[in-house]
Structure formats: C-alpha cells, structure tokens
C-alpha cells in the first residue's frame, strides 16, 4: 500500500504535521470508520469519517466521529442553508477523486466547504482517512481545522 496520496501530499505541501497509520481494511464492514477504529485499537470517537453531502444543492464535506450520525438540519444550518442530504456515492467519488471507504477531506479534486463536528476538536489527536482504503492520517484537531480552513459546528444528533 502506498502511503503517498493526494491527501498526504496536500498536508506535506501545507506544512501540517501528521503521521500515517495502516490497518486491514474490510470491504464487507457495515461501517468503515468503526471497523478502522477496531482494527487500530482506538476509540471510534477519535476516528473521524469524511462524508460528502449537499446543502441547498451545493457540495460540502462533513467530518464527524465514526460512531456518530450527521443531523441534516444541523448540517444545513452550519452552512446557512435550508436543506441537506447525503451525496450519492458515485457523485462523491467523481467530485473528490477518491473511492468511497477511502475519501479524505484533504487533497480532493475539487475543494468544497468543510464542517467538522465540534466535539472532535476537543480530542488530543484524531484519525482521518488518508485517501485510500486502509490508510489513516493521525493529527491534532487544531491542525485539521487549519488545514481545511473549515469550521467546527454542532453536526450530530
């Protein structure tokens, strides 16, 4: 497995400190983030999942703990919109350049506005997808927010 992806290249270019961690990806797992947390032996609350959604028809990126679900009303409000829904997997892959199960918030083909669940910013360190299945990026939450130019918001149920 290559540890160099558009995500790791973007972080390196931006001078953001991070480390990569690999794990055995299970393509049959119901919830990829939970499977990643279990495989790495860390709490699911610090393994963040990257989701692609649309708010009022415009694409957005959402980063939340793998053991939580996004509240669509809160997501829409975070971007000043009226309605939100999850993006279709094929559309998410086309927009980001990554395969579902390997979507990273970093190094996407077309950068979009990003919101990060505020509870994740309270952790000492977090893990996010590194741009391919089985590759995680370990970093500080403040570096995540800075690297994405994103905003922290209440996004979960």
């Amino acid at each position: 497995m290559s540890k160099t992806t558009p995500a790791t290249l973007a972080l390196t270019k931006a001078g953001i400190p991070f480390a990569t961690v690999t794990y055995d990806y299970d393509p049959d797992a119901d919830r990829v983030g939970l499977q990643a947390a279990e495989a790495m032996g860390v709490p699911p609350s610090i393994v963040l999942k990257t989701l692609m959604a649309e708010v009022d028809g415009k694409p957005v990126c959402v980063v939340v703990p793998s053991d939580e679900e996004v509240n669509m009303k809160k997501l829409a409000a975070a971007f000043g919109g009226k309605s939100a829904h999850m993006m279709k997997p094929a559309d998410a892959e086309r927009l980001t350049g990554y395969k579902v199960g390997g979507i990273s918030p970093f190094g996407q083909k077309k950068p979009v506005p990003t919101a990060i669940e505020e509870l994740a910013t309270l952790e000492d360190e977090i893990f996010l997808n590194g741009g391919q299945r089985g590759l995680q990026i370990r970093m500080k939450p403040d570096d995540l927010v800075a690297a994405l130019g994103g905003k922290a918001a209440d996004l979960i149920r």
Side-chain angles (χ1 to χ4, degrees), residues 6-152:
T8 61
L9 292 172
L11 288 169
T12 300
K13 184 178 179 183
I16 303 290
F18 70 96
T20 57
V21 179
T22 59
Y23 69 96
D24 290 328
Y25 173 81
D26 179 359
D28 297 321
D30 288 334
R31 297 177 69 186
V32 175
L34 295 179
Q35 187 263 322
E38 184 177 333
M40 294 186 301
V42 299
S45 61
I46 67 168
V47 177
L48 308 183
K49 56 187 173 183
T50 304
L51 305 170
M52 301 305 294
E54 293 182 357
V55 173
D56 294 345
K58 295 185 171 98
V60 298
C61 182
V62 187
V63 180
V64 297
S66 60
D67 58 349
E68 297 288 351
E69 297 294 324
V70 176
N71 178 306
M72 291 300 150
K73 288 184 181 194
K74 289 181 178 182
L75 175 60
F79 288 102
K82 293 182 180 183
S83 68
H85 66 273
M86 297 308 300
M87 193 177 285
K88 292 179 182 169
D91 293 339
E93 289 180 349
R94 194 171 26 261
L95 182 72
T96 64
Y98 295 120
K99 295 279 185 204
V100 169
I103 293 178
S104 178
F106 309 110
Q108 294 184 0
K109 278 183 9 183
K110 182 179 180 195
V112 298
T114 302
I116 301 137
E117 168 51 42
E118 62 190 6
L119 291 177
T121 65
L122 304 176
E123 301 290 345
D124 291 332
E125 69 177 8
I126 46 146
F127 293 83
L128 304 109
N129 201 293
Q132 69 186 42
R133 297 167 178 164
L135 179 67
Q136 291 281 307
I137 290 172
R138 187 180 78 216
M139 65 189 318
K140 301 284 184 202
D142 290 346
D143 291 335
L144 166 67
V145 175
L148 293 174
K151 59 181 164 185

